[in-house]
Amino acid sequence: MALGKQNYCNLLKYRSPFCRTTKHLRSERVTGLSENDGETLHRTKRGWMWNQFFLLEEYTGPDTQYVGKLHTDQDKGDGNLKYILTGDGAGSLFIIDENTGDIHAAKKLDREEKSLYVLRAKAIDRKTGRQVEPESEFIIKIHDINDNEPKFTKDMYTASIPEMSGVGTSVIQVTATDADDANYGNSAKVVYSILQGQPYFSVDPETGLIKTALPDMSRENREQYQVVIQAKDMGGQMGGLSGTTTVNITLTDVNDNPPRFPQSTYQFSSPESAPPGTPLGRIKANDPDVGENAEIEYSISNGDGSDMFDIVTDKDTQEGIITVKKHLDFENKMLYTLRVEATNTHPDPRFLQLGPFKDTAFVKISVEDIDEPPVFSRPWYLIEVDEDAKEGSIIGQVVAQDPDITKNAIKYSVDRHTDLDRIFNIYSGNGSLFISKPLDREETPWHNITVIASEINNPKQSSQIPVFIRILDINDHAPEFAKYYETFVCENAKAGQLIQTVSAVDKDEPPRGHRFFFELVPEFAVHPNFSVVDNKDNTAGIMTRRNGYSRSKMSTYLLPVIIFDNDYPIQSSTGTLTIRVCACDSRGNMQSCNAEALLLPAGLSTGALVAILLCIVILLVLVVLFTALKRQRKKEPLIISKDDVRDNIVTYNDEGGGEEDTQAFDIGTLRNPEAREESKMRRDVIPETIFQIRRTAPLWENIDVQDFIHRRLKENDLDPAAPPYDSLATYAYEGNDSIANSLSSLESLTTEGNQDYDYLSDWGPRFKKLADMYGGEDSDRD
């Protein structure tokens, strides 16, 4: 196969095996014998020409772009052969004339999309369909043109560099790429240049590295820069394509500026009563740097007020705050001067030659006078006084004075909230404390009171001080037994046996500690039964003096013991020990101390005795309850039946025993005036017609029982027609006992002989009916 216009095999660096084979086969002949006839064999010369085709990209002509021509020596030009093309783009991108073998590109090609195409070609006999040449492969390569501009990897770059950097300091490197073929021509050769940002920055034309171009660029003058970089292909020549990018460069701060006070002198004032830590004012040194480079530390370097004032740094605002360090006194000093220094905390050694990175200023502080409360000479007072000090005795003195220049007079007083019992008092003029009531250390060993000092001209100006009063002990209490001792001695005790160890207590507190002595009273200095042995350690032992004790003869012994202390004046007391005689076992354990146990049968235990006593108590309780119930059942009404009583007998059931007899009447009747007003007639006595039943006005408004009864009694006394049988008479307030004794006639049935009732007529109109019934001689007969 041969190319139509030009044989490229000799032009290509790459030589295909087909090309090399074709070159040699045209002049080489191989001879040999065949297996059949021994004829000489000849190698047939190949008719295909094989090489690469080249095609320009982005062809914009009116006709299709001609690629090349395929041809075989077997083609006689009679149209018997047919050329077929297969592979990349065959039929769509590349079209072959099947009769002539001409190849055309049907579309515009882009090398950046695909740089080469591999195709296969064959020639076929139209009649037989047999290939006249073996199928061969060839390549169509797309030649590059400069149709792509350089493109940066970022549309915008951001970079920073410290201010005051030297010339040539690297800032950032930018990179642009070109999609054209770097191996063919200069289409992909990029050159960088700076369009904007001069004279501050420059760019390396080959690498795209941006560098500083001016020395000592100051952030305080300008902080932000915008640099535009261009990338151009074709080596930067005319006609090359280009692209641009923007680089934003920020100058970062360095500590190249010292702090500076805007003024050399500051003035502040403070009241003398300002407590320590009170802020008086703020000062600030200016530093154009930022961040930690602008951090400032303030200090007082000198001045007559360096020990009275302090300065602290506000980390948020970088200000110096002047504060009070000690209490001020206008009377002592009225004006202070401070020398304040402001220093950078993070200096940069590279710029120390610019000068000291600190500044100083003077601060003047004037003290204002105020009316101050009195000041005591001490922060607290401790006073000691004997507990036997007499009332009115001076025990100590407190002193206060006005710190102002005026020196106002002071008066003293005791805060009664701290001395509710008013045990102490004070002279208002000089602050002397004295006793108002007796002291008792054993009751209250300490007294904590508060003394107040006030200005006489301005009582609001006052101060107070604690006074601790300690009561000193004197020996005014006698020692006594530490507790109540239950002491016993066994009947079988031996002489010299310890039966009890006693100790003593004393409310006093001698400075050298307690020391007690024990002995028998002088009357029993030589006791026949017991002795006291002082153990020299504030205890004593009670010892037996003979063998054997008998409960039947003496069940209890009283042993008086004298206890002395060793303080001045010596105090003593007598304590009596009660020693019981008890029955003990062989080991000395107490079994029984009751003398009655001797009368009981032998072998009866204590538990049995308790059980017997409990049974006796239960029986007594049952008997008492039975008797009480029986008496309650025997109580019967005074009158069993109305049939047994004569018609003219009047029963006064609720006469009672007077005010003290709470069962004789129902107080509810007196509490209910409404029920009291109802007229209730007796059924057993018919009233005479001359007597009119009179209703009284209701007394609902009066609920006083005593007043109610008095008014009813008065009404009945003044009414001669009021019989005793038509109303209920209650003598709730008649007194302890009636002077007339009982008015009942029930007991007259049991008396022998007649009884004189003539005295009833002298009792007044209320007892007229009784006098008529019992006063006459014929009344008994009737």
Side-chain angles (χ1 to χ4, degrees), residues 156-220:
M156 181 175 293
Y157 291 85
T158 301
S160 62
I161 185 174
E163 63 172 334
M164 308 298 290
S165 297
V167 176
T169 302
S170 298
V171 180
I172 191 174
Q173 184 176 15
V174 296
T175 303
T177 58
D178 196 320
D180 294 326
D181 190 359
N183 298 321
Y184 181 76
N186 294 326
S187 298
K189 186 177 181 181
V190 178
V191 174
Y192 300 94
S193 62
I194 182 168
L195 300 182
Q196 177 182 326
Q198 294 175 330
Y200 307 103
F201 299 94
S202 63
V203 64
D204 189 301
E206 295 183 359
T207 62
L209 179 63
I210 300 174
K211 302 179 181 179
T212 58
L214 283 181
D216 301 333
M217 287 189 293
S218 175
R219 182 199 66 83
E220 289 74 30

Side-chain angles (χ1 to χ4, degrees), residues 58-72:
E58 305 291 345
Y59 175 74
T60 58
D63 299 328
T64 58
Q65 188 177 4
Y66 182 76
V67 178
K69 183 181 181 66
L70 296 178
H71 184 74
T72 178

Side-chain angles (χ1 to χ4, degrees), residues 381 383 392-398 412-414 424-427 430-435 449-451 467-469:
Y381 290 86
I383 299 176
S393 301
I394 295 177
I395 61 175
Q397 184 182 19
V398 297
Y412 302 90
S413 62
V414 176
F424 302 96
N425 212 328
I426 192 171
Y427 290 108
N430 58 12
S432 297
L433 286 165
F434 61 92
I435 303 171
I449 66 174
T450 300
V451 175
V467 178
F468 307 104
I469 303 174

Side-chain angles (χ1 to χ4, degrees), residues 5 9 53 98 130 194 243 260 285 413 495 540 661 737:
K5 294 184 177 180
C9 285
F53 296 103
E98 61 181 13
R130 181 178 59 85
I194 182 168
R260 291 290 181 263
S413 62
D661 188 359
D737 294 308

Side-chain angles (χ1 to χ4, degrees), residues 163-294:
E163 63 172 334
M164 308 298 290
S165 297
V167 176
T169 302
S170 298
V171 180
I172 191 174
Q173 184 176 15
V174 296
T175 303
T177 58
D178 196 320
D180 294 326
D181 190 359
N183 298 321
Y184 181 76
N186 294 326
S187 298
K189 186 177 181 181
V190 178
V191 174
Y192 300 94
S193 62
I194 182 168
L195 300 182
Q196 177 182 326
Q198 294 175 330
Y200 307 103
F201 299 94
S202 63
V203 64
D204 189 301
E206 295 183 359
T207 62
L209 179 63
I210 300 174
K211 302 179 181 179
T212 58
L214 283 181
D216 301 333
M217 287 189 293
S218 175
R219 182 199 66 83
E220 289 74 30
N221 295 331
R222 183 177 178 181
E223 185 176 3
Q224 298 288 339
Y225 294 86
Q226 191 175 70
V227 179
V228 178
I229 302 297
Q230 182 188 62
K232 191 174 183 180
D233 59 10
M234 299 298 293
Q237 300 177 4
M238 294 292 293
L241 303 179
S242 64
T244 60
T245 187
T246 301
V247 181
N248 292 323
I249 301 175
T250 302
L251 295 183
T252 59
D253 185 61
V254 297
N255 192 6
D256 58 339
N257 293 281
R260 291 290 181 263
F261 283 106
Q263 59 192 70
S264 60
T265 304
Y266 297 84
Q267 291 187 351
F268 299 102
S269 62
S270 171
E272 63 176 334
S273 61
T278 302
L280 302 182
R282 292 170 176 255
I283 61 175
K284 181 177 173 62
N286 298 325
D287 190 336
D289 296 324
V290 295
E292 68 174 14
N293 296 321

Side-chain angles (χ1 to χ4, degrees), residues 89-153:
S92 59
L93 294 179
F94 303 103
I95 301 173
I96 188 171
D97 188 334
E98 61 181 13
N99 295 319
T100 64
D102 293 327
I103 302 173
H104 292 80
K107 295 180 180 180
K108 182 175 63 174
L109 302 177
D110 188 356
R111 188 201 67 82
E112 285 71 35
E113 292 183 2
K114 192 172 178 68
S115 61
L116 61 87
Y117 296 86
V118 179
L119 297 121
R120 305 182 70 83
K122 58 185 177 180
I124 301 175
D125 191 327
R126 291 179 182 273
K127 295 179 180 180
T128 62
R130 181 178 59 85
Q131 292 186 11
V132 298
E133 290 284 354
E135 186 179 60
S136 298
E137 182 180 87
F138 65 95
I139 298 174
I140 298 177
K141 297 189 68 175
I142 309 301
H143 268 203
D144 182 49
I145 63 173
N146 189 20
D147 59 343
N148 292 279
E149 72 277 5
K151 293 184 177 180
F152 286 93
T153 56

Side-chain angles (χ1 to χ4, degrees), residues 299-486:
S299 62
I300 299 176
S301 60
N302 202 351
D304 56 0
S306 58
D307 58 338
M308 301 299 296
F309 301 93
D310 198 2
I311 186 169
V312 294
T313 304
D314 188 335
K315 298 299 183 181
D316 297 328
T317 63
Q318 298 301 317
E319 294 177 313
I321 305 174
I322 307 294
T323 61
V324 178
K325 186 176 182 180
K326 295 182 179 180
H327 286 287
L328 304 176
D329 188 359
F330 173 82
E331 290 73 23
N332 185 27
K333 190 174 180 59
M334 295 180 288
L335 182 64
Y336 294 90
T337 301
L338 307 176
R339 187 173 184 266
V340 178
E341 187 175 272
T343 308
N344 274 139
T345 57
H346 299 87
D348 194 331
R350 296 176 299 172
F351 306 103
L352 293 179
Q353 72 276 4
L354 299 179
F357 279 74
K358 60 183 178 179
D359 195 14
T360 59
F362 291 95
V363 178
K364 294 183 178 181
I365 302 174
S366 58
V367 181
E368 299 175 353
D369 185 27
I370 63 169
D371 189 6
E372 298 177 272
V375 177
F376 284 93
S377 60
R378 301 179 188 176
W380 49 271
Y381 290 86
L382 173 62
I383 299 176
E384 294 182 344
V385 57
D386 293 332
E387 65 175 320
D388 61 346
K390 304 299 181 182
E391 296 181 22
S393 301
I394 295 177
I395 61 175
Q397 184 182 19
V398 297
V399 178
Q401 63 178 358
D402 185 8
D404 299 321
I405 297 178
T406 56
K407 301 297 180 183
N408 292 323
I410 306 297
K411 65 176 182 180
Y412 302 90
S413 62
V414 176
D415 185 357
R416 291 306 173 189
H417 293 91
T418 61
D419 185 23
L420 297 176
D421 296 331
R422 295 181 173 269
I423 299 176
F424 302 96
N425 212 328
I426 192 171
Y427 290 108
S428 61
N430 58 12
S432 297
L433 286 165
F434 61 92
I435 303 171
S436 299
K437 293 182 179 180
L439 304 176
D440 187 357
R441 188 206 65 83
E442 286 70 33
E443 181 179 351
T444 308
W446 283 90
H447 294 272
N448 301 329
I449 66 174
T450 300
V451 175
I452 303 173
S454 306
E455 293 183 8
I456 295 178
N457 296 335
N458 187 8
K460 292 183 179 179
Q461 292 296 335
S462 63
S463 58
Q464 56 186 20
I465 199 74
V467 178
F468 307 104
I469 303 174
R470 180 184 180 184
I471 310 302
L472 301 179
D473 183 39
I474 63 170
N475 194 24
D476 58 345
H477 290 83
E480 56 187 14
F481 282 126
K483 63 178 182 178
Y484 175 76
Y485 294 98
E486 295 182 355

